[in-house]
Amino acid sequence: MTELSAHLPQFQHGQLTENFPDNHLSNTNDNSERRRHDNSERRRNDNPGSETNGQPQNNIQQVVDQDEEEDEELTLKYGANIYTPFTEETDTIGQRALNSILNAAIMISVIIVMTILLVVLYKYRCYKVIHGWLIISSLLLLFFFSFIYLGEVFKTYNVAMDYITVALIIWNFGVVGMICIHWKGPLRLQQAYLIMISALMALVFIKYLPEWTAWLILAVISVYDLVAVLCPKGPLRMLVETAQERNETLFPALIYSSTMVWLVNMAEEDPEGQRKASKNSTYDKQAPANQPQNEDAEADDGGFSQEWQQQRDNRIGPIESTPESRAAVQALPSNSQTSEDPEERGVKLGLGDFIFYSVLVGKASATASGDWNTTLACFVAILIGLCLTLLLLAIFKKALPALPISITFGLVFYFATDNLVQPFMDQLAFHQFYI
Amino acid sequence: MGAAVFFGCAGIAFGPALALVLLTVAAEPLRVIILVAGAFFWLVSLLLASLIWFISVHLSDQGNARLQYGLLIFGAAVSVLLQEAFRFAYFKLLKKADEGLATISEDGRSPISLKQMAYVSGLSFGIISGVFSVINILADSIGPGIVGIHGDSPYYFITSAFLTMAVVLLHTFWGVIFFDACERRRYWCLGLVVISHLVTSGLTFLNPWYVASLVPIYIITFCMGIWAFFTAGGSFHNILKCLSCKQEDDSRVMMYSALQVPFED
């Protein structure tokens, strides 16, 4: 993703809870930098044709190319350096450590400031600002970042592609994404899109954060997550409590939800109370699973239609279900838990957690010497951390930070596998020993 | 070399495992959780074993090749013992979880039986063990290269794939036998499982003399398979019934009587 300009535009930060918001932090793009990129990109694309023209022209083109690339690199480095101004190419280890600590401190303070800004906006009911912010960020992710990613993929595999096809692909991808995320869509599609934008965001982090800074940021952000969610004056906890006071769900567009909300119909005596009121959830609704055939208020047949009754009479003989018998059945302890709110049975995870999990696994895959072993170990560690967090969620039943346990396990496994397990497995594989 | 070797060896190594996972584990969330947790336990055991090996290597003379070779064998043996120890620890954890699941379920019975958990945990150990052994080799097999150019065996990839398949199946069978032995406190079974694991690992030290290593390992796999089958409750009668594809008559009948709750059988 070399054309990515500037910044680290967004941090999405959230925790694991039953109904929970996300913090959404973004910084606006530097338009001039973007324009410069588009120009240099176009110039770069014109160049492949010049390869056939002969040597001198080639050299000139290559020199122009290099100048443009250096230009771009400088721009990108400059952009990334806003957040990580201290370089890690230093002479001593101590200096490098100090620089990475300072970089991490800057990033974390940016995140804290953005979180507090979001909480303040929410408290003072500036919903329009927040929604506008969210829409701009998802537009950016779905269109711009995916375009850049696609460009990089095509470059890597040397695929020739025209702009019209790319425009069509990106347009469709982006529009369907916006609809699924901000409005309604099939649950699996919405989950897929949320995962894709988290992965794109994580790629930005992986590419532009220097190495030690990235690990430090991961560690510090887990601590911050713990503090922000559990401390009484933590910004995220205040956000949850405000939402609960106002009895509304926050930012449904930026939470990954594992279940769908359905409208469950129970055959109740009172036909007016026949449809269960569902919570105000804007993004995933499905048509009610059972529709009572007969909603006639006078003939309260409890939802059993005439044809069904005839069939039943034919099969097992005339049995009448009266309101009294139905009441008796309903009085029995229900096995099916339909009385429980369906939304509570699922789990909601903030997208920021996805992003940082992806950063961990991505960095493990990119920079480890153990290649696949390290990646898989981190993967398993994060999954187990999430399992434990869900277990704690089931026990404590309140908003919990999803980052600390998983990131801790992930970091431990990364460093342990990379330094201890990899040489061992390497030696074993060399001799073809199996354990 | 290339894609053919990669896909072929990957299919050989992980075909049975993938089929087993897709058919028996993937549909049930509880089994998936047990699968991942089993992988975690195996990873922790490997971590500890690597730590021990690492320390021993750094405390010793690194120039002495024979010593390093010996330490590697020692490390492998320690790893096997630790794997079995962590299998036991996982058994304890699953037993506790079983009791917990039974208490929170509605009818007092846990949704998954200990035998199923034994099978899934064995499969999880097998998959993660196989993956860690062979995935880097598979990744290398895509790229350009010539196998055995320095005089090593040219059959490296395919024998690795077959060994991995054997290891996956062996761990599955060991899991079933081990859990059953712990449940019924038959410690000689436990000992036999540990010894067979050590023997299997030891046989791989005979590589590249593949006749001496692969054939006995497959014989052991086959014997363990039969043992696990009978341990899990299979019998000749079951096989015949399965092969004859007869459908059992459902002898239960639902009773409706003025919408009362049917009696529990």
Side-chain angles (χ1 to χ4, degrees), chain B residues 4-5 14 18 33 35 57 66 79 96 107 112 115 122-123 134 136-138 175 208 220 228 230 238 246 249:
Chain B
V5 173
F14 296 116
L18 190 66
I33 294 176
L35 195 82
V57 161
R66 275 201 65 82
S79 167
K96 251 205 189 88
D107 53 357
I112 189 171
K115 284 206 162 73
L123 188 60
V134 95
N136 281 327
I137 298 172
L138 282 179
I220 295 179
F230 285 109
N238 279 351
K246 257 199 291 230
D249 291 322

PDB file of all heavy atoms in Angstrom, chain B residues 4-5 14 18 33 35 57 66 79 96 107 112 115 122-123 134 136-138 175 208 220 228 230 238 246 249:
ATOM      1  N   ALA B   4       2.015 -28.676  -7.793  1.00  0.00           N
ATOM      2  CA  ALA B   4       1.576 -30.071  -7.725  1.00  0.00           C
ATOM      3  C   ALA B   4       2.043 -30.723  -6.440  1.00  0.00           C
ATOM      4  O   ALA B   4       1.266 -31.382  -5.734  1.00  0.00           O
ATOM      5  CB  ALA B   4       2.122 -30.846  -8.926  1.00  0.00           C
ATOM      6  N   VAL B   5       3.321 -30.537  -6.129  1.00  0.00           N
ATOM      7  CA  VAL B   5       3.850 -31.123  -4.894  1.00  0.00           C
ATOM      8  C   VAL B   5       3.149 -30.527  -3.683  1.00  0.00           C
ATOM      9  O   VAL B   5       2.776 -31.230  -2.743  1.00  0.00           O
ATOM     10  CB  VAL B   5       5.374 -30.900  -4.791  1.00  0.00           C
ATOM     11  CG1 VAL B   5       5.897 -31.358  -3.455  1.00  0.00           C
ATOM     12  CG2 VAL B   5       6.072 -31.619  -5.900  1.00  0.00           C
ATOM     13  N   PHE B  14      -3.112 -33.519   5.310  1.00  0.00           N
ATOM     14  CA  PHE B  14      -4.250 -32.988   6.058  1.00  0.00           C
ATOM     15  C   PHE B  14      -5.602 -33.412   5.531  1.00  0.00           C
ATOM     16  O   PHE B  14      -6.620 -32.974   6.051  1.00  0.00           O
ATOM     17  CB  PHE B  14      -4.170 -31.454   6.108  1.00  0.00           C
ATOM     18  CG  PHE B  14      -2.980 -30.973   6.853  1.00  0.00           C
ATOM     19  CD1 PHE B  14      -1.991 -30.248   6.216  1.00  0.00           C
ATOM     20  CD2 PHE B  14      -2.821 -31.285   8.187  1.00  0.00           C
ATOM     21  CE1 PHE B  14      -0.876 -29.829   6.910  1.00  0.00           C
ATOM     22  CE2 PHE B  14      -1.712 -30.872   8.877  1.00  0.00           C
ATOM     23  CZ  PHE B  14      -0.731 -30.143   8.237  1.00  0.00           C
ATOM     24  N   LEU B  18      -8.870 -32.786   7.664  1.00  0.00           N
ATOM     25  CA  LEU B  18      -9.860 -31.822   7.167  1.00  0.00           C
ATOM     26  C   LEU B  18     -11.234 -32.459   7.062  1.00  0.00           C
ATOM     27  O   LEU B  18     -12.252 -31.881   7.445  1.00  0.00           O
ATOM     28  CB  LEU B  18      -9.412 -31.300   5.795  1.00  0.00           C
ATOM     29  CG  LEU B  18     -10.198 -30.123   5.255  1.00  0.00           C
ATOM     30  CD1 LEU B  18      -9.940 -28.928   6.144  1.00  0.00           C
ATOM     31  CD2 LEU B  18      -9.782 -29.806   3.836  1.00  0.00           C
ATOM     32  N   ILE B  33     -14.691 -25.162  20.034  1.00  0.00           N
ATOM     33  CA  ILE B  33     -13.977 -24.582  21.170  1.00  0.00           C
ATOM     34  C   ILE B  33     -13.005 -25.600  21.752  1.00  0.00           C
ATOM     35  O   ILE B  33     -11.852 -25.284  22.075  1.00  0.00           O
ATOM     36  CB  ILE B  33     -14.969 -24.112  22.247  1.00  0.00           C
ATOM     37  CG1 ILE B  33     -15.798 -22.952  21.705  1.00  0.00           C
ATOM     38  CG2 ILE B  33     -14.244 -23.682  23.492  1.00  0.00           C
ATOM     39  CD1 ILE B  33     -16.868 -22.491  22.652  1.00  0.00           C
ATOM     40  N   LEU B  35     -11.630 -28.020  20.200  1.00  0.00           N
ATOM     41  CA  LEU B  35     -10.539 -28.170  19.234  1.00  0.00           C
ATOM     42  C   LEU B  35      -9.478 -27.095  19.436  1.00  0.00           C
ATOM     43  O   LEU B  35      -8.274 -27.379  19.532  1.00  0.00           O
ATOM     44  CB  LEU B  35     -11.115 -28.085  17.819  1.00  0.00           C
ATOM     45  CG  LEU B  35     -10.226 -28.551  16.682  1.00  0.00           C
ATOM     46  CD1 LEU B  35     -10.297 -30.048  16.565  1.00  0.00           C
ATOM     47  CD2 LEU B  35     -10.661 -27.932  15.384  1.00  0.00           C
ATOM     48  N   VAL B  57      20.833 -26.293  25.205  1.00  0.00           N
ATOM     49  CA  VAL B  57      21.773 -26.013  24.113  1.00  0.00           C
ATOM     50  C   VAL B  57      22.702 -24.873  24.478  1.00  0.00           C
ATOM     51  O   VAL B  57      23.910 -24.921  24.243  1.00  0.00           O
ATOM     52  CB  VAL B  57      20.996 -25.691  22.814  1.00  0.00           C
ATOM     53  CG1 VAL B  57      21.869 -24.953  21.827  1.00  0.00           C
ATOM     54  CG2 VAL B  57      20.484 -26.957  22.189  1.00  0.00           C
ATOM     55  N   ARG B  66      28.002 -33.990  17.888  1.00  0.00           N
ATOM     56  CA  ARG B  66      27.355 -35.166  18.458  1.00  0.00           C
ATOM     57  C   ARG B  66      26.533 -34.796  19.685  1.00  0.00           C
ATOM     58  O   ARG B  66      25.445 -35.309  19.897  1.00  0.00           O
ATOM     59  CB  ARG B  66      28.423 -36.193  18.857  1.00  0.00           C
ATOM     60  CG  ARG B  66      28.861 -37.089  17.714  1.00  0.00           C
ATOM     61  CD  ARG B  66      29.483 -38.372  18.261  1.00  0.00           C
ATOM     62  NE  ARG B  66      28.530 -39.182  18.983  1.00  0.00           N
ATOM     63  CZ  ARG B  66      27.664 -40.024  18.404  1.00  0.00           C
ATOM     64  NH1 ARG B  66      27.636 -40.140  17.103  1.00  0.00           N
ATOM     65  NH2 ARG B  66      26.834 -40.731  19.144  1.00  0.00           N
ATOM     66  N   SER B  79       9.787 -33.394  24.885  1.00  0.00           N
ATOM     67  CA  SER B  79       8.580 -32.843  24.274  1.00  0.00           C
ATOM     68  C   SER B  79       7.453 -33.860  24.275  1.00  0.00           C
ATOM     69  O   SER B  79       6.298 -33.534  24.569  1.00  0.00           O
ATOM     70  CB  SER B  79       8.908 -32.398  22.856  1.00  0.00           C
ATOM     71  OG  SER B  79       7.734 -32.152  22.156  1.00  0.00           O
ATOM     72  N   LYS B  96     -13.841 -31.302  34.317  1.00  0.00           N
ATOM     73  CA  LYS B  96     -14.477 -30.245  35.107  1.00  0.00           C
ATOM     74  C   LYS B  96     -15.502 -29.495  34.269  1.00  0.00           C
ATOM     75  O   LYS B  96     -16.592 -29.172  34.723  1.00  0.00           O
ATOM     76  CB  LYS B  96     -13.406 -29.260  35.575  1.00  0.00           C
ATOM     77  CG  LYS B  96     -13.139 -29.349  37.005  1.00  0.00           C
ATOM     78  CD  LYS B  96     -12.595 -28.056  37.568  1.00  0.00           C
ATOM     79  CE  LYS B  96     -12.162 -28.339  38.973  1.00  0.00           C
ATOM     80  NZ  LYS B  96     -10.799 -28.812  39.129  1.00  0.00           N
ATOM     81  N   ASP B 107     -31.582 -30.311  31.290  1.00  0.00           N
ATOM     82  CA  ASP B 107     -32.005 -31.635  31.730  1.00  0.00           C
ATOM     83  C   ASP B 107     -30.930 -32.349  32.521  1.00  0.00           C
ATOM     84  O   ASP B 107     -30.989 -33.554  32.696  1.00  0.00           O
ATOM     85  CB  ASP B 107     -32.448 -32.474  30.523  1.00  0.00           C
ATOM     86  CG  ASP B 107     -31.366 -32.487  29.452  1.00  0.00           C
ATOM     87  OD1 ASP B 107     -30.334 -31.819  29.640  1.00  0.00           O
ATOM     88  OD2 ASP B 107     -31.567 -33.162  28.447  1.00  0.00           O
ATOM     89  N   ILE B 112     -22.378 -32.689  25.551  1.00  0.00           N
ATOM     90  CA  ILE B 112     -21.348 -33.436  24.840  1.00  0.00           C
ATOM     91  C   ILE B 112     -20.794 -34.488  25.782  1.00  0.00           C
ATOM     92  O   ILE B 112     -20.595 -34.242  26.962  1.00  0.00           O
ATOM     93  CB  ILE B 112     -20.248 -32.469  24.329  1.00  0.00           C
ATOM     94  CG1 ILE B 112     -19.282 -33.187  23.406  1.00  0.00           C
ATOM     95  CG2 ILE B 112     -19.505 -31.852  25.472  1.00  0.00           C
ATOM     96  CD1 ILE B 112     -18.342 -32.250  22.714  1.00  0.00           C
ATOM     97  N   LYS B 115     -16.612 -39.141  25.686  1.00  0.00           N
ATOM     98  CA  LYS B 115     -15.994 -39.840  24.552  1.00  0.00           C
ATOM     99  C   LYS B 115     -15.841 -38.898  23.370  1.00  0.00           C
ATOM    100  O   LYS B 115     -14.830 -38.908  22.668  1.00  0.00           O
ATOM    101  CB  LYS B 115     -16.846 -41.036  24.155  1.00  0.00           C
ATOM    102  CG  LYS B 115     -16.722 -42.204  25.068  1.00  0.00           C
ATOM    103  CD  LYS B 115     -17.046 -43.502  24.325  1.00  0.00           C
ATOM    104  CE  LYS B 115     -16.544 -44.739  25.039  1.00  0.00           C
ATOM    105  NZ  LYS B 115     -17.251 -45.134  26.221  1.00  0.00           N
ATOM    106  N   GLY B 122      -8.161 -35.353  20.907  1.00  0.00           N
ATOM    107  CA  GLY B 122      -7.107 -36.060  20.191  1.00  0.00           C
ATOM    108  C   GLY B 122      -6.890 -35.473  18.803  1.00  0.00           C
ATOM    109  O   GLY B 122      -5.749 -35.263  18.362  1.00  0.00           O
ATOM    110  N   LEU B 123      -8.001 -35.182  18.127  1.00  0.00           N
ATOM    111  CA  LEU B 123      -7.904 -34.591  16.792  1.00  0.00           C
ATOM    112  C   LEU B 123      -7.211 -33.241  16.838  1.00  0.00           C
ATOM    113  O   LEU B 123      -6.386 -32.912  15.977  1.00  0.00           O
ATOM    114  CB  LEU B 123      -9.313 -34.437  16.212  1.00  0.00           C
ATOM    115  CG  LEU B 123      -9.420 -34.006  14.764  1.00  0.00           C
ATOM    116  CD1 LEU B 123      -8.745 -34.996  13.874  1.00  0.00           C
ATOM    117  CD2 LEU B 123     -10.889 -33.883  14.380  1.00  0.00           C
ATOM    118  N   VAL B 134       4.841 -29.632   9.613  1.00  0.00           N
ATOM    119  CA  VAL B 134       4.976 -29.716   8.163  1.00  0.00           C
ATOM    120  C   VAL B 134       4.673 -28.431   7.402  1.00  0.00           C
ATOM    121  O   VAL B 134       4.967 -28.338   6.223  1.00  0.00           O
ATOM    122  CB  VAL B 134       4.075 -30.872   7.663  1.00  0.00           C
ATOM    123  CG1 VAL B 134       2.730 -30.371   7.226  1.00  0.00           C
ATOM    124  CG2 VAL B 134       4.762 -31.684   6.606  1.00  0.00           C
ATOM    125  N   ASN B 136       5.901 -25.364   7.332  1.00  0.00           N
ATOM    126  CA  ASN B 136       7.017 -24.649   6.706  1.00  0.00           C
ATOM    127  C   ASN B 136       7.573 -25.436   5.535  1.00  0.00           C
ATOM    128  O   ASN B 136       7.990 -24.862   4.521  1.00  0.00           O
ATOM    129  CB  ASN B 136       8.119 -24.386   7.731  1.00  0.00           C
ATOM    130  CG  ASN B 136       7.777 -23.212   8.610  1.00  0.00           C
ATOM    131  OD1 ASN B 136       7.142 -22.271   8.163  1.00  0.00           O
ATOM    132  ND2 ASN B 136       8.186 -23.264   9.860  1.00  0.00           N
ATOM    133  N   ILE B 137       7.569 -26.745   5.657  1.00  0.00           N
ATOM    134  CA  ILE B 137       8.033 -27.592   4.561  1.00  0.00           C
ATOM    135  C   ILE B 137       7.114 -27.432   3.358  1.00  0.00           C
ATOM    136  O   ILE B 137       7.567 -27.326   2.208  1.00  0.00           O
ATOM    137  CB  ILE B 137       8.074 -29.059   5.024  1.00  0.00           C
ATOM    138  CG1 ILE B 137       9.071 -29.192   6.173  1.00  0.00           C
ATOM    139  CG2 ILE B 137       8.444 -29.982   3.889  1.00  0.00           C
ATOM    140  CD1 ILE B 137       9.052 -30.530   6.822  1.00  0.00           C
ATOM    141  N   LEU B 138       5.797 -27.404   3.623  1.00  0.00           N
ATOM    142  CA  LEU B 138       4.850 -27.217   2.527  1.00  0.00           C
ATOM    143  C   LEU B 138       5.056 -25.863   1.869  1.00  0.00           C
ATOM    144  O   LEU B 138       5.008 -25.736   0.646  1.00  0.00           O
ATOM    145  CB  LEU B 138       3.416 -27.326   3.046  1.00  0.00           C
ATOM    146  CG  LEU B 138       2.886 -28.725   3.309  1.00  0.00           C
ATOM    147  CD1 LEU B 138       1.472 -28.633   3.837  1.00  0.00           C
ATOM    148  CD2 LEU B 138       2.918 -29.551   2.053  1.00  0.00           C
ATOM    149  N   GLY B 175      -5.775 -39.928  21.821  1.00  0.00           N
ATOM    150  CA  GLY B 175      -6.701 -39.133  22.625  1.00  0.00           C
ATOM    151  C   GLY B 175      -7.847 -39.984  23.150  1.00  0.00           C
ATOM    152  O   GLY B 175      -8.177 -39.947  24.340  1.00  0.00           O
ATOM    153  N   PRO B 208      16.641 -40.809   7.094  1.00  0.00           N
ATOM    154  CA  PRO B 208      15.878 -41.139   5.887  1.00  0.00           C
ATOM    155  C   PRO B 208      15.796 -42.617   5.509  1.00  0.00           C
ATOM    156  O   PRO B 208      15.539 -42.932   4.364  1.00  0.00           O
ATOM    157  CB  PRO B 208      16.636 -40.362   4.815  1.00  0.00           C
ATOM    158  CG  PRO B 208      18.033 -40.346   5.291  1.00  0.00           C
ATOM    159  CD  PRO B 208      17.972 -40.345   6.788  1.00  0.00           C
ATOM    160  N   ILE B 220       1.890 -49.234  13.649  1.00  0.00           N
ATOM    161  CA  ILE B 220       1.450 -48.739  14.959  1.00  0.00           C
ATOM    162  C   ILE B 220       0.140 -47.964  14.822  1.00  0.00           C
ATOM    163  O   ILE B 220      -0.786 -48.116  15.637  1.00  0.00           O
ATOM    164  CB  ILE B 220       2.540 -47.844  15.604  1.00  0.00           C
ATOM    165  CG1 ILE B 220       3.784 -48.648  15.903  1.00  0.00           C
ATOM    166  CG2 ILE B 220       2.021 -47.190  16.860  1.00  0.00           C
ATOM    167  CD1 ILE B 220       4.887 -47.828  16.520  1.00  0.00           C
ATOM    168  N   ALA B 228      -8.449 -48.020  19.490  1.00  0.00           N
ATOM    169  CA  ALA B 228      -9.325 -46.883  19.780  1.00  0.00           C
ATOM    170  C   ALA B 228     -10.765 -47.202  19.379  1.00  0.00           C
ATOM    171  O   ALA B 228     -11.709 -46.815  20.061  1.00  0.00           O
ATOM    172  CB  ALA B 228      -8.834 -45.636  19.050  1.00  0.00           C
ATOM    173  N   PHE B 230     -12.250 -50.108  19.409  1.00  0.00           N
ATOM    174  CA  PHE B 230     -12.910 -50.932  20.412  1.00  0.00           C
ATOM    175  C   PHE B 230     -13.086 -50.189  21.720  1.00  0.00           C
ATOM    176  O   PHE B 230     -14.063 -50.406  22.443  1.00  0.00           O
ATOM    177  CB  PHE B 230     -12.135 -52.240  20.619  1.00  0.00           C
ATOM    178  CG  PHE B 230     -12.340 -53.194  19.486  1.00  0.00           C
ATOM    179  CD1 PHE B 230     -11.317 -53.466  18.601  1.00  0.00           C
ATOM    180  CD2 PHE B 230     -13.565 -53.786  19.290  1.00  0.00           C
ATOM    181  CE1 PHE B 230     -11.513 -54.329  17.543  1.00  0.00           C
ATOM    182  CE2 PHE B 230     -13.778 -54.646  18.224  1.00  0.00           C
ATOM    183  CZ  PHE B 230     -12.745 -54.914  17.346  1.00  0.00           C
ATOM    184  N   ASN B 238     -21.314 -53.685  15.183  1.00  0.00           N
ATOM    185  CA  ASN B 238     -21.599 -52.316  14.756  1.00  0.00           C
ATOM    186  C   ASN B 238     -21.235 -52.088  13.309  1.00  0.00           C
ATOM    187  O   ASN B 238     -21.949 -51.426  12.562  1.00  0.00           O
ATOM    188  CB  ASN B 238     -20.808 -51.314  15.616  1.00  0.00           C
ATOM    189  CG  ASN B 238     -21.494 -51.055  16.926  1.00  0.00           C
ATOM    190  OD1 ASN B 238     -22.618 -51.473  17.127  1.00  0.00           O
ATOM    191  ND2 ASN B 238     -20.809 -50.372  17.821  1.00  0.00           N
ATOM    192  N   LYS B 246     -29.198 -50.571   7.432  1.00  0.00           N
ATOM    193  CA  LYS B 246     -30.597 -50.761   7.815  1.00  0.00           C
ATOM    194  C   LYS B 246     -31.022 -49.602   8.672  1.00  0.00           C
ATOM    195  O   LYS B 246     -30.265 -49.120   9.500  1.00  0.00           O
ATOM    196  CB  LYS B 246     -30.728 -52.061   8.626  1.00  0.00           C
ATOM    197  CG  LYS B 246     -31.313 -53.212   7.828  1.00  0.00           C
ATOM    198  CD  LYS B 246     -31.833 -54.289   8.734  1.00  0.00           C
ATOM    199  CE  LYS B 246     -30.672 -54.971   9.443  1.00  0.00           C
ATOM    200  NZ  LYS B 246     -30.687 -56.398   9.371  1.00  0.00           N
ATOM    201  N   ASP B 249     -36.174 -48.766  13.343  1.00  0.00           N
ATOM    202  CA  ASP B 249     -37.540 -48.271  13.543  1.00  0.00           C
ATOM    203  C   ASP B 249     -37.564 -47.428  14.789  1.00  0.00           C
ATOM    204  O   ASP B 249     -37.019 -47.804  15.824  1.00  0.00           O
ATOM    205  CB  ASP B 249     -38.503 -49.450  13.718  1.00  0.00           C
ATOM    206  CG  ASP B 249     -38.646 -50.214  12.419  1.00  0.00           C
ATOM    207  OD1 ASP B 249     -38.672 -49.546  11.356  1.00  0.00           O
ATOM    208  OD2 ASP B 249     -38.693 -51.446  12.469  1.00  0.00           O
TER     209      ASP B 249
END
